[in-house]
Amino acid sequence: MELTQLKMVQAVARFGSIARAAEQLHCVPSNITNRLKQLESELGTPLFTRVGRGLKISPAGEIFLGYSERILALVDEARRAVDSQAEPSGLLRLGSIESCAGGRLPPLLAEYHRRYPQVSVELITGTWSQLFEELRHQRIDGALVAIDTLPAKLQQTVLYHEPLVLISSDGSAPIHNASDLQGQHLFMWPAGCPYRRALENWLGKHGLDLPITGYASWGTIIGCVSAGAGVSLIPEGVLERYAQSSTLRVQRFSDLAPVDNRFVWHQDVQQHRARDAFAQLLRETLGA
């Protein structure tokens, strides 16, 4: 059993295709096919089953994948540990919810690239549950989320309190208080989003139970509001990234609590110089 085979198992499980795994690992598909057959023969059990034109990981493969990811993570940590005095380098895999990726994050990434040019950064966006799953399997090194309930084995640091603002189209009537929302069409992310929960809590505090249309895109939500279709609650850091912001009416309410944004990582990966340098930059710039 070799590390190369573990990386192949990881890649095939992720992409469900030997061809796509070969592209990711920069090798020919036949090499992966042969090495996986050798590994399955050594283990005495199939790791994948064929489904249509793709591959699906088997129950035994799921168990083996968990160990593979832990082994590969420990190997990476061992390399970093013996090179503890070196400048951050290599690959940093980050995840972020869309509100942070489109709001606070771009200038921070630019500063990080300036400070640590030897680090190659990969960024994915997703919901907090998707990012937690990526962290659980150690497919990313850290994530920016806005939820305070973490699964086991994840650690966090609170970065900043994101103010929330109510937006409506520039031609609509002003909204002076929550009761003015009666009869308005509300747009927000689908259920489970911490910003939606903040909106629902605020409405509940004022005795309002209004229907909310869920769209999983700030761009779509802001576009609908700008077109006069309704109103929404938006993280302040997101708003300035959209051209429509100049055509919106923005209102702030003192009883509308901000949402904590956090940086989260897997506790089993204790040493990761590129990740730790990024976390330090986040604390310096956004520290609550």
Side-chain angles (χ1 to χ4, degrees):
M1 187 182 305
E2 301 174 0
L3 293 178
T4 302
Q5 291 171 305
L6 304 188
K7 292 177 181 178
M8 289 176 176
V9 170
Q10 193 177 50
V12 174
R14 181 175 186 182
F15 295 109
S17 163
I18 286 180
R20 291 190 62 194
E23 292 177 5
Q24 178 75 15
L25 298 175
H26 307 292
C27 64
V28 296
S30 59
N31 186 27
I32 294 181
T33 300
N34 293 333
R35 300 297 292 279
L36 287 183
K37 285 181 178 178
Q38 292 171 4
L39 181 59
E40 289 175 328
S41 176
E42 180 181 345
L43 295 172
T45 185
L47 300 176
F48 297 94
T49 57
R50 183 161 294 282
V51 178
R53 300 181 65 181
L55 292 176
K56 181 180 179 181
I57 194 164
S58 68
E62 285 280 7
I63 296 172
F64 186 78
L65 177 62
Y67 284 100
S68 298
E69 288 169 337
R70 287 160 59 186
I71 291 169
L72 292 171
L74 281 172
V75 170
D76 286 341
E77 184 175 348
R79 290 194 183 106
R80 292 189 293 267
V82 298
D83 195 20
S84 59
Q85 301 306 311
E87 278 291 302
S89 62
L91 177 63
L92 175 61
R93 304 162 301 172
L94 296 174
S96 176
I97 54 175
E98 186 186 343
S99 60
C100 192
R104 311 286 183 184
L105 199 52
L108 288 167
L109 289 173
E111 174 62 18
Y112 186 81
H113 284 300
R114 187 191 68 78
R115 291 190 188 184
Y116 308 108
Q118 300 303 314
V119 178
S120 176
V121 178
E122 291 182 357
L123 175 68
I124 64 169
T125 58
T127 64
W128 58 267
S129 57
Q130 291 168 339
L131 297 176
F132 285 167
E133 183 68 8
E134 293 294 299
L135 281 171
R136 185 174 74 86
H137 290 287
Q138 299 184 28
R139 293 193 286 257
I140 57 176
D141 303 309
L144 290 144
V145 298
I147 190 165
D148 54 3
T149 304
L150 300 184
K153 291 204 166 187
L154 296 187
Q155 293 185 322
Q156 64 172 323
T157 180
V158 177
L159 297 174
Y160 62 99
H161 310 302
E162 180 68 80
L164 304 178
V165 295
L166 192 75
I167 61 171
S168 56
S169 66
D170 197 34
S172 65
I175 298 172
H176 299 292
N177 50 58
S179 61
D180 291 338
L181 293 174
Q182 288 284 6
Q184 291 276 5
H185 199 128
L186 294 176
F187 295 99
M188 180 48 74
W189 274 61
C193 168
Y195 296 110
R196 181 179 178 127
R197 188 170 62 204
L199 172 61
E200 291 170 338
N201 290 342
W202 185 59
L203 294 174
K205 187 162 52 176
H206 292 277
L208 298 172
D209 183 15
L210 304 178
I212 301 173
T213 298
Y215 290 134
S217 164
W218 289 119
T220 301
I221 290 170
I222 292 173
C224 288
V225 173
S226 179
V231 302
S232 183
L233 197 66
I234 295 288
E236 194 169 42
V238 169
L239 197 55
E240 62 190 41
R241 299 287 168 183
Y242 289 88
Q244 300 100 317
S245 61
S246 60
T247 65
L248 295 173
R249 188 190 301 273
V250 180
Q251 288 142 297
R252 296 169 175 80
F253 297 91
S254 59
D255 63 343
L256 192 50
V259 173
D260 287 343
N261 278 238
R262 305 158 190 269
F263 186 61
V264 184
W265 63 94
H266 200 293
Q267 70 178 23
D268 286 351
V269 185
Q270 293 297 321
Q271 292 196 26
H272 193 305
R273 291 186 62 78
R275 179 203 66 193
D276 297 342
F278 184 75
Q280 180 58 34
L281 175 61
L282 291 175
R283 286 190 288 266
E284 289 174 12
T285 311
L286 301 175

